[in-house]
Amino acid sequence: CLNRDYLNRLFRRSTGMTLSEEICRCRLEHACNLLENSTQSVKEIADACGFLDQAYFHRRFLAAKAMTPRRYRYFHSVEHRN
């Protein structure tokens, strides 16, 4: 029974980020885990993490990690570590 804007203000006050930023951060964290430990395509991972638009996923991932999802997979995958 809270107004969306009020909830967002409370969340921002306690965490320093908006609720939508936190949701995106969690989705990207899950995407990183999938990129490291699965063989799914980047599109499948974007879909699995709740990104309906692969281009938007790519932009958000690049902004957060300073590299593309494919490059992240190359440097962080289990195969690369061995």
Side-chain angles (χ1 to χ4, degrees):
C1 296
L2 292 176
N3 179 291
R4 183 184 325 168
D5 293 331
Y6 179 67
L7 177 61
N8 202 30
R9 276 195 308 272
L10 290 176
F11 190 83
R12 185 177 208 137
R13 191 178 301 147
S14 65
T15 65
M17 65 178 66
T18 65
L19 193 52
S20 60
E21 289 170 339
E22 175 63 11
I23 291 168
C24 187
R25 187 195 65 75
C26 290
R27 287 178 176 174
L28 289 174
E29 185 178 310
H30 183 56
C32 287
N33 186 34
L34 291 175
L35 286 166
E36 292 172 18
N37 301 306
S38 79
T39 58
Q40 292 177 297
S41 71
V42 173
K43 181 178 180 354
E44 290 171 332
I45 290 173
D47 290 342
C49 294
F51 292 95
L52 302 178
D53 181 7
Q54 186 178 357
Y56 178 69
F57 168 68
H58 190 273
R59 283 193 311 271
R60 292 303 300 250
F61 196 93
L62 186 60
K65 301 295 181 183
M67 64 178 68
T68 65
R70 282 189 178 89
R71 192 161 181 83
Y72 182 91
R73 171 177 269 164
Y74 175 76
F75 285 114
H76 294 91
S77 69
V78 173
E79 293 84 26
H80 190 326
R81 283 184 232 151
N82 291 334

